[in-house]
Amino acid sequence: MDKRYEVYCLADRHFYETPDRLSVGGSAPEFGTAQRPVPQGWRSARQGDWLTLVPVDEDGHAKPAPQQGWKIHVSATLENADRIAAAVWDHCVPRSVPFKFIAGRPLLHLRNSKYAGRDGSGKFATIYPADEHQLHSLLAELGQTLAGFEGPYILTDLRWQEGPLYVRYGAFTRRMCVDERGGLVPAIEDDRGRLVPDSRDPAFRVPEWVTLPPFLESQLAARNNTTVTDLPYRMEKALHFSNGGGVYVGTDTRDGRKVVLKEGRPHAGLASDGADAVARLERERDALGKLAGLGVAPEVRDWFELGGHRFLVMDFLEGRTLNSFFADRHPLLVSEPDTDAVAAYTAWALRIHRAVEEAVAAVHERGVVFNDLHMFNIMVAPDEQSVSLLDFEAATRVGDGGRQVVAHPGFIAPADREGVDVDSYALACLRLALFLPITTLLAVDRGKAAHLAKVIAAEFPDVPPEFLAAAVAEIERGGDGVPRGARSGATTGATTGAAAPLIDLADWPAGRDSMAKAILASATPERDDRLFPGDIATFSDGGGLGLAHGAAGVLYALAESGAERYEEGERWLLKHTESAPTGTPLGLNDGLAGIAHVLERLGHRTRALDLMESVLQENWQRLPSDLNGGLAGLGLALDSLAHRTGEEALAQHALRAAELIGERLTAGPPPKGRPRAGLLHGDTGPALLFLRLYERNGDPALLDLAARALRADLDRCVARPDGSLGVDEGWRTMPYLGDGSVGIGMVVDDYLAHRDDAGFEAARPGILATARSRFCVQPGLYQGRAGLLLHIDRSTAPGITPGDVAAQIEGLGWFTMPYAGHIAFPGNQMLRLSMDLHTGTAGCLLALAAALGDGGAHVPFLPPLRRPQSRSRESAGS
């Protein structure tokens, strides 16, 4: 679970939204300091969480300031934040020092919550000194003013004395560069004038070309004096980090026994009730004390403080957490599940669930409510006969009627559940998740439980009907015990259990029209940051505009599927590209090249050419080689635009992009770390560019380069025991269109249309076995089931049947969700719906249009291949 997504779930029930939208319309009041009048000679602006204030000259322009240097971060708690903001304001304004601070209490709470990013933890205000002399004076003077104020420790910075001030060398203004993995990241300039990543890892580091100011040396020495060397424990491995602290495996040096040490950081890792990590760790210690000797929870060994942080020491429990069994045990991860394997898994899952129920009942008998039951917090013993429960930091006493303060999104109880009912709800979710681990959908609509139970009954026929019926009844019941679907006056729609059945996806074009209506119902042309809701990347630079997560991708899918044209949406995109926002990337999926490609296909040729011209005015040759945001995607867009408009200069630039990639492939240094593979970020994207250019001019050297690139990515694949082939990421294998073997297979099929290759032919069966998988954890086009469907429908490999296509369409239907009475799909992490191309409804629409429509729908630059005569489009939809 990617914890970044949770804070984007707070402002809207159905879609990912930035948390600062909580304050839209006054629903979340700002700090009093944030409501002060702007001082004369200053300018203020809201930028996401931040209220920024900068001094200006007589013409209203910001006064000259450094682009980087030593900056001051100020930490704060929820209780003292407004007073600290006032102190910073009163100190900086008379001295003309630019600064910014978090505008409201809810936003600060989110920044310091348990699963907020550790790189931003504790940062309430930022001050930008003009030089090291001003840095020193600000630290000395403001440090004295704020002496005694508390706040979370800022992990990226060096603390000044004992107060809430911290320092770090980094960027003052927004500049970007490409990191080692090809992503755009904040940048600073090194001593040679090059832009390099501005590292924000949760550890204090000074760039190698920067000298630490002498007045900070004593602070660094004090920081380095806090060590674990005097503890009777040897920390050996970090199991997990959160904003609240780390969890470590170690050894008690006094007796050699393995232990777990859990850390709590003061004022950080806040739960929904405001309790910090230390308070939650105290709750866990007290709960475990009540459960001592019960055999279903760890035993407490020690409790101590180090460097202001608290540590709880517990016995190490042998075994594996329940979630870790899914990858190697679940029988639907193959194309043709074995009947005996399904039966054996069913018996195992039922036994495990019974053991968990017994453990929870025993905890309740000791007067404790667990409050955070999910698969990651259940330890299965090595003999797989018994279980223990982990992580009691949210535990309460039976009878207190407490609500959940932290929870896994797939098991979070509705607001009407308290006390032991919270655990009962989680046990009901576990009944479904053991067989179909997509219960995060229930966070959007609890009415989905009945559909999931129906799918489970079909796939696992030995599951007792009453087992599933009990789960659905518990999940759907309201606070008064009445099932939600049975309530008088219940309406059909996106949030009720009584919603009308959705159209069958195979019912075409009715399914297309339903998805298109859901997409249009979600549109917000009145907003400037995005037109359609999508992934959290929508809110990154250019995300609301681009092909992957923005308006361009959705408009592309609507056009390709044959849906009715959305002219208002096209006008929105044209308006918002009249002057592309600063920082908009240049690439195909992430930026301007992809927008230009879509606009030209929609008939807006002049704007497309203008956008591409602006791309070519940038230093595009330094882009990475990949398809997503690099030279491969840009080259494809340039070549297509040149071919459609007759602009020969664009074609030459496309060839130059291919030439640069070819030089890197044949002579460049090996990439650091584990290189990425696949269509979007690996060498398969460049292979696709080489193929398309070969088709233009017939140069066999381009075909040679395509083969070289594809072999590099296939070398990064491994075979699973069932013969399926996936990209090896070290800890998992990836099957998907974007970063997995299916994307490689798409381009392998295209290559084999031009030249025979025994190695590529040998890889196709394994890739097809991957694409036939009976279960997929997400529905999206580039990271989910829709991409598998697209490959199976498009591939020319032998042995594919209409049943293969139909099976993937049916499986995609497992994820359908209602929105405005029509079909929508959840996005990445499945915590909210998404309408974008890469992760959401638009991508599923495109894949289904390719399989069921007759217009040749396809993702950019991968049009349909000529099918073997044994398959036809008509039979694929049957």
Side-chain angles (χ1 to χ4, degrees):
M1 178 64 65
D2 188 334
K3 296 299 182 180
R4 295 177 304 157
Y5 282 75
E6 292 190 21
V7 297
Y8 288 86
C9 296
L10 299 175
D12 191 274
R13 172 65 187 272
H14 295 107
F15 302 112
Y16 294 121
E17 271 288 8
T18 53
D20 62 285
R21 298 287 295 186
L22 285 167
S23 61
V24 173
S27 59
E30 296 183 336
F31 291 122
T33 308
Q35 300 175 48
R36 287 183 177 185
V38 179
Q40 185 175 359
W42 285 73
R43 183 176 67 205
S44 71
R46 279 296 300 266
Q47 298 175 339
D49 296 357
W50 300 97
L51 177 64
T52 301
L53 288 101
V54 296
V56 295
D57 59 24
E58 294 179 355
D59 296 324
H61 299 127
K63 290 183 178 180
Q67 290 189 299
Q68 63 190 54
W70 290 98
K71 55 182 160 183
I72 300 172
H73 286 122
V74 190
S75 181
T77 68
L78 297 175
E79 289 70 31
N80 65 26
D82 204 4
R83 286 178 290 156
I84 287 178
V88 170
W89 183 301
D90 293 341
H91 196 87
C92 290
V93 168
R95 295 164 177 79
S96 295
V97 181
F99 66 98
K100 65 181 182 180
F101 63 95
I102 303 296
R105 182 184 175 94
L107 300 177
L108 179 59
H109 190 159
L110 291 174
R111 181 167 287 267
N112 290 330
S113 63
K114 180 176 180 180
Y115 290 114
R118 297 171 72 225
D119 58 339
S121 175
K123 295 176 182 176
F124 169 63
T126 308
I127 303 170
Y128 301 96
D131 51 36
E132 290 185 9
H133 175 75
Q134 189 174 65
L135 169 72
H136 194 187
S137 63
L138 285 167
L139 288 171
E141 297 166 5
L142 190 56
Q144 186 173 2
T145 300
L146 296 177
F149 281 82
E150 296 183 320
Y153 195 99
I154 297 177
L155 299 172
T156 60
D157 291 27
L158 177 64
R159 189 177 190 178
W160 174 257
Q161 298 179 351
E162 299 301 318
L165 301 185
Y166 297 76
V167 295
R168 184 179 81 86
Y169 189 94
F172 287 12
T173 60
R174 193 174 180 287
R175 292 190 287 179
M176 308 294 286
C177 71
V178 177
D179 67 5
E180 293 177 352
R181 294 177 67 83
L184 279 175
V185 296
I188 53 177
E189 190 174 308
D190 68 8
D191 56 343
R192 297 169 58 185
R194 303 172 302 176
L195 288 180
V196 297
D198 181 9
S199 175
R200 299 181 184 185
D201 293 336
F204 176 67
R205 294 186 178 89
V206 181
E208 59 183 16
W209 67 91
V210 175
T211 301
L212 186 76
F215 54 85
L216 293 179
E217 291 176 356
S218 61
Q219 314 302 316
L220 182 60
R223 177 182 180 276
N224 292 337
N225 281 338
T226 301
T227 68
V228 298
T229 55
D230 294 332
L231 293 176
Y233 306 103
R234 183 173 61 250
M235 295 186 185
E236 297 163 346
K237 179 182 178 182
L239 295 178
H240 170 69
F241 285 108
S242 75
N243 199 11
V247 180
Y248 311 90
V249 171
T251 299
D252 189 328
T253 58
R254 295 165 296 191
D255 57 17
R257 293 176 63 181
K258 290 184 72 174
V259 294
V260 171
L261 299 95
K262 190 170 184 179
E263 176 187 20
R265 297 176 55 221
H267 311 300
L270 304 182
S272 62
D273 63 350
D276 69 2
V278 173
R280 289 187 286 103
L281 203 58
E282 290 172 344
R283 289 175 184 169
E284 180 161 18
R285 177 199 61 191
D286 295 344
L288 292 178
K290 294 177 182 179
L291 303 176
L294 193 59
V296 297
E299 298 290 332
V300 174
R301 293 177 64 88
D302 200 357
W303 172 262
F304 65 88
E305 181 178 333
L306 178 67
H309 295 195
R310 295 291 179 89
F311 287 83
L312 175 65
V313 185
M314 301 168 282
D315 282 336
F316 178 86
L317 299 182
E318 297 290 346
R320 295 168 57 187
T321 54
L322 183 54
N323 66 292
S324 68
F325 285 87
F326 183 80
D328 58 13
R329 176 78 56 109
H330 201 279
L332 299 191
L333 295 178
V334 297
S335 56
E336 297 181 5
D338 178 77
T339 302
D340 291 340
V342 170
Y345 179 84
T346 299
W348 179 86
L350 293 174
R351 185 179 73 248
I352 291 296
H353 189 273
R354 185 164 52 253
V356 175
E357 281 188 318
E358 291 170 354
V360 171
V363 168
H364 289 174
E365 288 176 3
R366 289 283 182 98
V368 175
V369 178
F370 189 16
N371 257 341
D372 193 19
L373 179 70
H374 57 79
M375 287 210 225
F376 292 77
N377 283 351
I378 299 169
M379 178 69 77
V380 180
D383 63 5
E384 299 184 19
Q385 298 298 315
S386 62
V387 301
S388 297
L389 306 180
L390 308 175
D391 199 352
F392 280 79
E393 64 181 38
T396 60
R397 292 181 299 180
V398 170
D400 280 356
R403 286 277 304 121
Q404 281 180 303
V405 293
V406 293
H408 185 283
F411 294 78
I412 186 168
D416 56 26
R417 308 300 171 91
E418 296 179 348
V420 295
D421 283 351
V422 172
D423 289 348
S424 297
Y425 183 89
L427 285 167
C429 291
L430 184 62
R431 290 180 179 234
L432 304 182
L434 279 165
F435 297 96
L436 209 59
I438 56 176
T439 55
T440 49
L441 297 177
L442 303 179
V444 182
D445 181 8
R446 280 191 277 158
K448 188 67 176 178
H451 184 196
L452 298 183
K454 182 179 179 181
V455 173
I456 293 168
E459 300 294 322
F460 297 89
D462 291 341
V463 176
E466 60 273 16
F467 180 87
L468 299 174
V472 174
E474 175 62 29
I475 290 167
E476 290 198 340
R477 75 172 175 86
D480 54 8
V482 179
R484 295 165 70 242
R487 293 173 183 274
S488 60
T491 58
T492 60
T495 60
T496 69
L502 295 171
I503 295 170
D504 188 335
L505 291 180
D507 183 3
W508 200 262
R512 176 200 65 194
D513 295 340
S514 182
M515 284 180 275
K517 288 176 181 176
I519 289 171
L520 296 184
S522 74
T524 54
E526 71 279 3
R527 288 176 59 164
D528 290 322
D529 59 335
R530 58 116 163 120
L531 176 59
F532 300 103
D535 189 68
I536 64 173
T538 302
F539 304 107
S540 302
D541 294 322
L545 302 175
L547 189 62
H549 305 294
V554 177
L555 294 174
Y556 177 88
L558 291 171
E560 285 289 311
S561 67
E564 184 176 350
R565 189 161 181 164
Y566 182 39
E567 295 183 357
E568 184 177 7
E570 294 178 31
R571 290 193 295 271
W572 187 94
L573 186 56
L574 289 169
K575 173 186 174 183
H576 287 81
T577 54
E578 287 177 1
S579 178
T582 302
T584 303
L586 308 181
L588 175 67
N589 285 310
D590 66 353
L592 297 178
I595 299 169
H597 178 71
V598 172
L599 286 175
E600 198 285 328
R601 291 180 69 84
L602 293 174
H604 305 291
R605 179 165 293 180
T606 299
R607 176 59 54 80
L609 289 170
D610 289 345
L611 289 176
M612 195 60 80
E613 180 61 30
S614 69
V615 171
L616 294 174
Q617 289 174 2
E618 300 291 335
N619 192 8
W620 59 270
Q621 296 90 343
R622 293 182 61 183
L623 290 172
S625 298
D626 64 55
L627 180 76
N628 188 63
L631 291 175
L634 176 58
L636 286 163
L638 285 165
D639 177 68
S640 174
L641 195 56
H643 180 68
R644 293 171 68 93
T645 64
E647 295 283 344
E648 179 59 28
L650 299 180
Q652 295 305 311
H653 287 305
L655 288 170
R656 177 56 181 156
E659 182 181 356
L660 289 169
I661 298 172
E663 291 171 356
R664 297 173 188 177
L665 273 175
T666 56
K672 297 179 182 179
R674 182 184 295 274
R676 298 183 75 174
L679 181 64
L680 291 184
H681 300 102
D683 286 325
T684 297
L688 180 60
L689 172 62
F690 296 140
L691 281 173
R692 295 294 170 254
L693 293 179
Y694 167 77
E695 291 165 355
R696 294 273 191 240
N697 59 36
D699 183 356
L702 290 167
L703 210 53
D704 294 340
L705 284 170
R708 181 174 186 142
L710 285 170
R711 289 192 187 100
D713 266 4
L714 284 173
D715 286 345
R716 296 163 191 152
C717 294
V718 293
R720 287 170 52 88
D722 66 341
S724 62
L725 198 67
V727 169
D728 182 11
E729 291 195 339
W731 61 286
R732 64 179 179 181
T733 58
M734 287 292 280
Y736 300 127
L737 176 63
D739 295 308
S741 55
V742 162
I744 302 170
M746 294 269 282
V747 182
V748 163
D749 285 346
D750 284 59
Y751 180 91
L752 292 172
H754 299 290
R755 180 189 286 174
D756 292 336
D757 187 289
F760 293 166
E761 286 287 359
R764 292 174 97 183
I767 295 173
L768 282 176
T770 297
R772 287 179 170 127
S773 176
R774 187 60 184 151
F775 177 76
C776 194
V777 76
Q778 295 183 149
L781 181 60
Y782 281 86
Q783 291 179 287
R785 189 156 213 155
L788 309 189
L789 166 63
L790 185 69
H791 177 55
I792 284 182
D793 177 72
R794 181 182 184 272
S795 181
T796 55
I800 299 174
T801 69
D804 293 326
V805 177
Q808 288 300 350
I809 293 173
E810 178 196 3
L812 190 58
W814 297 355
F815 298 91
T816 54
M817 301 287 287
Y819 182 74
H822 298 288
I823 298 172
F825 286 89
N828 277 0
Q829 308 301 308
M830 298 198 302
L831 302 176
R832 291 294 183 267
L833 304 179
S834 169
M835 299 299 177
D836 71 32
L837 180 68
H838 272 217
T839 72
T841 306
C844 296
L845 170 63
L846 187 65
L848 288 163
L852 300 173
D854 56 6
H858 61 279
V859 295
F861 310 113
L862 281 164
L865 294 167
R866 189 168 63 183
R867 299 168 179 274
Q869 293 184 359
S870 61
R871 289 200 296 134
S872 67
R873 186 165 299 276
E874 289 75 16
S875 61
S878 61

